[in-house]
């Protein structure tokens, strides 16, 4: 099998909401591929990805979803982890763990950001 990694940077969709939706880079890419095997989600902090997630489910239909930073407040990895976990008939949690991004402790409240939690889900159907 041929592996074709693709990294997207920039605007993922053309409109501000699905109500005024125009084709964007993400769905155009997914429509021209037969399917997406693995989707890695690691957006910037406080980027909700609600519209992008609808595009992913509608057009990309990934077999595997890898979520990073699922433990950070107001991060897409957190709500996506909850969303996928609440659909055991469709998605199965296969792996999860933590990554330490620095050796020494961080000052006060920032310490929780030193550990990053990740999870891997597999689509069952």
């Amino acid at each position: 099998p041929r592996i074709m990694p693709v990294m997207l940077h920039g605007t993922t969709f053309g409109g501000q909401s699905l109500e005024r939706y125009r084709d964007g880079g993400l769905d155009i890419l997914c429509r021209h591929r037969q399917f997406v095997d693995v989707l890695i989600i690691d957006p910037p902090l406080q980027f909700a990805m609600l519209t992008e997630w609808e595009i992913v489910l509608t057009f990309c239909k990934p077999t595997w979803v890898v979520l990073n930073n699922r433990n950070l407040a107001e991060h897409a990895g957190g709500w996506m982890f909850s969303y996928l976990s609440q659909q055991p008939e469709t998605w199965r949690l296969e792996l999860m763990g933590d990554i330490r991004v620095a050796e020494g402790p961080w000052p006060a409240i920032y310490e929780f950001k030193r550990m990053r939690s990740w999870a891997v889900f597999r689509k069952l159907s």
Side-chain angles (χ1 to χ4, degrees):
R2 189 171 147 214
I3 297 173
M4 186 179 100
V6 175
M7 180 184 293
L8 296 177
H9 176 72
T11 304
T12 52
F13 65 100
Q16 295 299 315
S17 70
L18 288 179
E19 294 159 7
R20 297 182 318 174
Y21 182 74
R22 296 189 326 247
D23 288 345
L26 182 58
D27 64 298
I28 290 171
L29 174 71
C30 289
R31 275 193 261 177
H32 287 86
R33 301 286 307 150
Q34 218 173 11
F35 56 86
V36 174
D37 287 322
V38 179
L39 180 69
I40 300 172
I41 306 287
D42 190 12
L45 189 61
Q46 297 182 344
F47 183 66
M49 284 195 62
L50 296 170
T51 302
E52 289 81 1
W53 186 244
E54 286 294 321
I55 293 169
V56 164
L57 292 178
T58 304
F59 298 110
C60 301
K61 302 175 183 168
T63 305
W64 295 87
V65 174
V66 180
L67 300 174
N68 195 26
N69 297 324
R70 68 176 183 83
N71 62 311
L72 298 182
E74 298 183 29
H75 196 279
W79 75 258
M80 287 181 180
F81 180 83
S82 295
Y83 175 84
L84 295 174
S85 295
Q86 293 172 14
Q87 297 187 42
E89 68 285 349
T90 306
W91 294 96
R92 176 179 292 159
L93 177 63
E94 297 288 350
L95 297 166
M96 59 191 278
D98 299 302
I99 300 169
R100 188 176 333 158
V101 297
E103 286 301 317
W106 287 10
I109 194 156
Y110 297 103
E111 175 63 18
F112 81 94
K113 291 184 176 182
R114 188 168 66 107
M115 293 296 284
R116 306 295 171 93
S117 297
W118 55 269
V120 177
F121 285 87
R122 179 175 55 91
K123 190 166 187 175
L124 299 176
S125 54

